[in-house]
Structures are given as structure tokens and as C-alpha cells.
Amino acid sequence: MKSIRVAVAAAAVGVALTACSSPVEAGAAAVVGGERIAAKDLNSEVQQYEKALTAARLDASALQVPLNQFVLFRMTNEVVYRQLAQRYKVQVSESEIDTALKDPGQQQTPAMNLLSKGVPPGDARDYLRGELSIQKILQQLGGAQNQQAIEKLRSEFTTVKVTYSPRYGQLNTQPTQENPSMFVDTGRFGKLTPTQQPQQQQQQPQG
């Protein structure tokens, strides 16, 4: 099977989300800025993503992280994108999404580009709406070449409280050379165990 080069980026500027350690309610995979991501919705998304990988003859092992963690990370990002778009009153047109659907990014095809971000075909428009919103916010702040704008956007991301259910692992908010993992397994029977790090690839904002 073909392999897939994974894109792990919380935003167009590679922003890292801030994870909190407070408990989440039963049945929730994560709570993002007060918005609940249900465990059943995550399971449904994982199933859709697995089917999309199989249809594209892609090797899921190349993700090097459990599928539920990878998809949950994408779903969390998508909620943050939407909340920041509302805060900045940013709107994205359907024609802009149509154009983005044709963009292969740094992958071989547009479909591969979305799969590398954990996005199955059925969720493409909603995800791209959020991703394009972040690019527009960055432009409002001064553009992708403006370091102050980038830092401001990073600061905006940290204002959105994200809490993950321990059953899916915890976001590694302080990666080191010894433990560079995107997520760590909370480990029911022992200390934290790092999961293997996906290949990181930051998406550059479009001007």
C-alpha cells in the first residue's frame, strides 16, 4: 500500500494548542472552548477516516500515532478554527472552499492533502472553511511574513481552553528531544508513555 506523509499543524503558522488537565464529562472525547466533542462522534469520524484511507490504498501505519488521537487532534483544531473565526467575524465563501478543494498542498493530490491532515472526504468543506478562516485572521493581523502577527495568532490559540479525555491520551504541550511525541498515553497501569511522533509538516499560509 502507498504511504502518506502526515501534516500535523494546529494552524497555518504551526500553532500548538493549549491542553488543560481538568476532567471532562462522561462521554466526551474533548471539550474545546466549552464546546463538547462527543466520544461517539469521534468514533464515527475515525471509521470514516479509516474507510477513506483504505479506499485510497494508504497505509495507516505511516501515521505513527493511534488513529483516534490523530483524528481527535484534527477535530479539536477544527473547533478552534471555527471559534476564532466567530471571534474575528471572518467569513469564507463557497467559491473559496471550491478553490481550496483543488489544492494539493505539499501532497500528490488534493485528496491526499486532506487525508494527511486527518480529514475524510465528507468533512472536507467544513475543515477547509476553518483553515481558510485562520489564514484570513492572520492576514487581518498583519500577514504571514509579519512575526508579530504570527505571535498574536499563537496567543489567540492559547485563549481557547482545550481539555482531552485521558482515555485518548494527552497532548504533549512541552515536547523535548527525549520526548517529542504529539500525544502521550496516560497509562492506566503506570507512568506516562510517549507515543511515536508523526512526521511534522507545517502548512504555510497562503497570501
Side-chain angles (χ1 to χ4, degrees):
M1 297 182 72
K2 296 180 289 185
S3 63
I4 183 170
R5 186 171 57 178
V6 177
V8 178
V13 291
V15 178
L17 297 177
T18 300
C20 301
S21 59
S22 56
V24 297
E25 61 185 281
V31 178
V32 186
E35 184 173 339
R36 182 176 180 270
I37 297 177
K40 63 180 181 62
D41 292 336
L42 170 62
N43 293 337
S44 176
E45 288 287 311
V46 170
Q47 291 175 6
Q48 292 180 49
Y49 185 60
E50 285 181 308
K51 290 179 180 178
L53 289 177
T54 300
R57 298 184 58 80
L58 293 170
D59 185 359
S61 66
L63 297 175
Q64 299 182 328
V65 67
L67 283 181
N68 61 354
Q69 292 183 350
F70 187 56
V71 174
L72 178 58
F73 186 68
R74 185 271 296 173
M75 293 176 72
T76 302
N77 291 344
E78 194 172 325
V79 175
V80 176
Y81 295 163
R82 184 169 63 251
Q83 292 183 3
L84 291 182
Q86 292 172 352
R87 182 183 301 178
Y88 277 83
K89 297 180 173 56
V90 168
Q91 295 185 346
V92 176
S93 69
E94 295 302 315
S95 62
E96 287 174 315
I97 296 175
D98 290 339
T99 299
L101 283 169
K102 301 174 184 176
D103 183 7
Q106 297 183 27
Q107 305 294 330
Q108 299 173 10
T109 65
M112 184 85 77
N113 182 42
L114 288 166
L115 289 173
S116 74
K117 301 173 184 180
V119 185
D123 296 318
R125 298 191 74 86
D126 286 342
Y127 177 83
L128 289 172
R129 187 184 306 278
E131 194 175 68
L132 291 170
S133 295
I134 293 302
Q135 294 176 10
K136 288 192 173 188
I137 291 172
L138 185 58
Q139 290 301 314
Q140 282 188 23
L141 296 174
Q145 305 305 316
N146 186 319
Q147 188 60 37
Q148 289 185 336
I150 293 173
E151 293 301 326
K152 173 61 175 175
L153 183 56
R154 285 178 174 155
S155 178
E156 288 294 286
F157 267 76
T158 64
T159 66
V160 181
K161 179 181 178 181
V162 179
T163 307
Y164 291 94
S165 170
R167 76 177 62 183
Y168 301 107
Q170 293 181 351
L171 191 67
N172 185 8
T173 58
Q174 295 181 320
T176 64
Q177 184 174 356
E178 294 75 19
N179 182 17
S181 304
M182 180 178 75
F183 274 89
V184 291
D185 183 354
T186 52
R188 293 185 180 182
F189 306 106
K191 63 183 180 179
L192 297 179
T193 303
T195 58
Q196 195 172 2
Q197 170 84 354
Q199 177 184 349
Q200 291 198 10
Q201 172 189 323
Q202 293 184 352
Q203 178 190 6
Q204 296 300 315
Q206 300 175 354

